[in-house]
Amino acid sequence: MVLAPFDIFVIVIVALVALTIASGVKTVSQGMNWTIERFGKYTRTLSPGLNLIVPFIDRVGQKITMMEQVMDVPQQEVITKDNATVTVDGITFYQVVDAARAAYEVQDLRLAILNLTMTNIRTVMGGMDLDALLSHRDEINDRLLRVVDAAVSPWGVKVLRIEIKDIVPPRDLVDAMGRQMKAEREKRASILEAEGARASEILRAEGEKQAQILQAEGRKEAAFRDAEARERLAEAEAKATQMVSDAISAGNLAAVNYFIADKYVQALKAIGTAPNQKVIMMPLEASSLIGSVAGISELLKETFPKAGETRTTPRVGGGA
């Protein structure tokens, strides 16, 4: 069957209309933005959903992902401030916030962010000592985030996070750090042992001091008690001596005999309990002791007259 020229013309028109409608209707997926160019110049950005453009005049320039993206930062060697070489790698999280600027302000957005991040890693970490590099990773991440985010802001990109994953020093440096850590721990252990011994000696000295103080106070109290006892004994002796003297003055021979016998017995007791070994021959019979006491009493009688006797003076002249 041969088509008429008019039928062919109608089919061509329908096809052109369908092609025109298809080229003028654009469906953008969620999380994407498309840039539209008219004769090579950017005109607007298509947001997610159904959009219409001018067929055969407008065209899609670039399709930009607006979702957060992850980019690995490859390993690189960094020389620290104290000339230690370490191997560092990381990861960067970023998001496009302006599709037009991300499409037309930089040639290769991902490569630009990667190079900028690697350069700033060397700059930030190269200005720090190795010890600070290993112990202040959060500070490094914060500094990198501020610097890189400010640098990519003209490109319509927001850097959300930059994380340093690994910092690997050379093997010999790791061994040296291990020996240093071991030495530091041994040093701290020695210091703790010395402080413990010092505290123990102080406590022992304090205890000995308190013991000596208590002993001195005990000796002081004992000496005070001994002095008080001697004082009372001396008072008793003086009182007894006074009583004996009064008895002798009154002619009481029994008291004198008791006093002398008591002293005699005490003297014999002291001689008998003396620590030096001596042989003493002396009469210890009761009759000899009594005889000795009686002899002493006779001497006292001759010395002191009886208290009842009174001296009479001769009278001169006649009787009464």
Side-chain angles (χ1 to χ4, degrees):
M1 178 179 178
V2 179
L3 295 177
F6 179 76
D7 295 335
I8 295 174
F9 175 76
V10 172
I11 293 173
V12 171
I13 294 300
V14 172
L16 289 175
V17 170
L19 180 62
T20 302
I21 294 174
S23 62
V25 177
K26 301 296 181 182
T27 302
V28 180
S29 302
Q30 183 66 36
M32 300 291 293
N33 275 1
W34 293 1
T35 62
I36 301 301
E37 299 175 356
R38 180 173 295 175
F39 303 115
K41 181 180 179 181
Y42 167 78
T43 57
R44 62 193 178 99
T45 301
L46 300 183
S47 58
L50 184 63
N51 297 270
L52 298 176
I53 62 174
V54 178
F56 309 113
I57 297 177
D58 294 340
R59 69 181 186 88
V60 177
Q62 295 191 30
K63 300 177 180 180
I64 306 298
T65 301
M66 305 301 291
M67 296 178 290
E68 182 176 347
Q69 301 180 60
V70 181
M71 179 177 61
D72 285 328
V73 179
Q75 289 185 346
Q76 60 176 331
E77 290 187 350
V78 177
I79 300 176
T80 63
K81 186 177 180 180
D82 51 355
N83 296 324
T85 303
V86 295
T87 302
V88 182
D89 62 351
I91 188 170
T92 302
F93 299 84
Y94 69 94
Q95 184 177 14
V96 176
V97 295
D98 189 339
R101 296 167 67 184
Y104 300 108
E105 294 291 339
V106 63
Q107 177 66 33
D108 189 336
L109 179 63
R110 191 176 183 86
L111 181 61
I113 295 175
L114 177 61
N115 288 330
L116 188 62
T117 302
M118 294 180 66
T119 302
N120 281 278
I121 286 176
R122 288 194 297 270
T123 301
V124 172
M125 301 182 70
M128 302 175 66
D129 294 332
L130 180 61
D131 293 339
L133 200 68
L134 297 175
S135 59
H136 296 80
R137 187 171 296 190
D138 291 339
E139 180 182 348
I140 296 172
N141 294 336
D142 292 340
R143 291 177 60 184
L144 285 173
L145 179 60
R146 291 194 302 268
V147 173
V148 176
D149 183 57
V152 301
S153 179
W155 303 338
V157 177
K158 176 67 176 176
V159 178
L160 303 177
R161 290 184 304 278
I162 297 179
E163 300 288 341
I164 299 299
K165 292 195 296 185
D166 291 323
I167 300 176
V168 183
R171 184 62 190 175
D172 55 347
L173 190 58
V174 173
D175 295 338
M177 292 170 62
R179 292 193 298 270
Q180 180 182 2
M181 180 180 63
K182 182 179 179 181
E184 288 291 336
R185 290 182 176 177
E186 292 178 351
K187 176 183 176 181
R188 287 197 297 268
S190 300
I191 291 174
L192 291 176
E193 290 178 357
E195 290 179 351
R198 177 174 174 268
S200 176
E201 292 295 333
I202 291 175
L203 292 176
R204 186 180 296 110
E206 288 291 338
E208 293 177 353
K209 176 183 176 181
Q210 293 296 329
Q212 292 176 0
I213 291 174
L214 293 176
Q215 291 176 2
E217 290 179 352
R219 290 194 299 270
K220 177 182 177 182
E221 184 67 20
F224 177 75
R225 298 297 182 184
D226 291 341
E228 186 178 10
R230 289 194 299 270
E231 181 180 356
R232 292 183 178 179
L233 181 60
E235 290 177 355
E237 290 287 344
K239 187 175 181 181
T241 304
Q242 183 64 37
M243 292 176 64
V244 172
S245 178
D246 294 341
I248 292 173
S249 300
N252 189 352
L253 297 180
V256 176
N257 292 336
Y258 174 78
F259 181 75
I260 295 174
D262 181 64
K263 294 297 182 181
Y264 191 77
V265 171
Q266 291 181 4
L268 292 177
K269 181 180 179 181
I271 293 173
T273 58
N276 53 349
Q277 297 181 0
K278 295 180 180 179
V279 179
I280 301 173
M281 303 298 295
M282 58 184 305
L284 295 179
E285 294 82 6
S287 59
S288 299
L289 180 59
I290 295 172
S292 300
V293 174
I296 296 172
S297 300
E298 291 297 331
L299 291 176
L300 291 174
K301 287 179 182 180
E302 294 178 359
T303 305
F304 302 99
K306 291 183 179 179
E309 296 180 356
T310 57
R311 295 183 180 178
T312 59
T313 54
R315 299 175 62 185
V316 181

